[in-house]
Amino acid sequence: APVTLIEFTDFECPYCSMFHAETFPRIKATFIDSGRLRFGQRQMPLPSHKNASVAAHAAICAGEQGRYWDLSEMMFSRSRCLSCQGVLELSKAVDLDRKAFEACMSSGKHLGQIQSDIQTAKELKIEGTPSFVLGKSTSTGVNGIVVNGFLPYDQFEKRIQAVLSAGGS
């Protein structure tokens, strides 16, 4: 895809949840499914959200089994109460090899990746979630601008169209 959108997210962030419920499906249908936009997600669990780090690690562990987006969707749909049922309990609703998933979770092997995502956000001067980097796709990711906060679809559409017009297809 000629254009990339990278989201910095927190699974307990209500605005991240709103983005995934209201805006992302339209972005996916209009731009991702047509091959004009590549979407990626980076973890930015905020210190004020006590379950966000565990949720971020769980999503990456689920990703080892090709289920990152399934578990992410589940957690975003319950972002206001991840502590009510618990991330590990929620993960049972996703088709995962439980033994492998639990081993991944207990190993903490993806915590370095999460810290790296947080460091990248700091370097970009991103302080809140959701935040995005939108721009031309490169071999290593994206060369673009930071877009802060939850925005409605029409504002994303304008920005994505502008990047496509400036050099995408």
Side-chain angles (χ1 to χ4, degrees), residues 8-158:
F8 287 83
T9 197
D10 174 317
F11 289 105
E12 280 190 297
C13 164
Y15 296 103
C16 297
S17 179
M18 287 170 50
F19 170 77
H20 282 275
E22 299 172 19
T23 306
F24 182 72
R26 291 182 67 193
I27 290 172
K28 182 177 182 312
T30 305
F31 297 103
I32 298 170
D33 292 347
S34 67
R36 297 183 294 159
L37 180 72
R38 177 175 56 179
F39 181 80
Q41 201 171 61
R42 300 291 177 265
Q43 305 304 318
M44 193 175 152
L46 300 174
S48 59
H49 295 152
K50 67 179 183 173
N51 297 293
S53 290
V54 171
H57 196 253
I60 297 169
C61 286
E64 288 185 351
Q65 298 181 41
R67 299 289 186 196
Y68 178 90
W69 296 109
D70 296 330
L71 185 54
S72 293
E73 187 176 306
M74 173 77 62
M75 291 189 294
F76 279 128
S77 72
R78 291 172 175 80
S79 67
R80 294 186 191 268
C81 198
L82 284 180
S83 63
C84 298
Q85 191 173 15
V87 171
L88 295 178
E89 191 62 32
L90 279 176
S91 72
K92 291 178 181 176
V94 177
D95 184 22
L96 295 168
D97 174 329
R98 296 304 309 165
K99 192 175 211 175
F101 178 76
E102 290 169 10
C104 179
M105 288 298 293
S106 64
S107 75
K109 67 182 181 177
H110 297 296
L111 297 177
Q113 178 182 341
I114 295 166
Q115 287 305 312
S116 176
D117 288 352
I118 293 168
Q119 183 58 39
T120 299
K122 285 180 184 176
E123 291 167 6
L124 293 168
K125 300 189 180 359
I126 292 172
E127 297 178 359
T129 57
S131 289
F132 307 85
V133 179
L134 172 66
K136 290 184 73 171
S137 298
T138 68
S139 60
T140 58
V142 61
N143 180 16
I145 59 164
V146 173
V147 178
N148 288 305
F150 168 72
L151 301 174
Y153 171 77
D154 63 332
Q155 291 187 34
F156 270 104
E157 180 184 37
K158 287 177 192 173

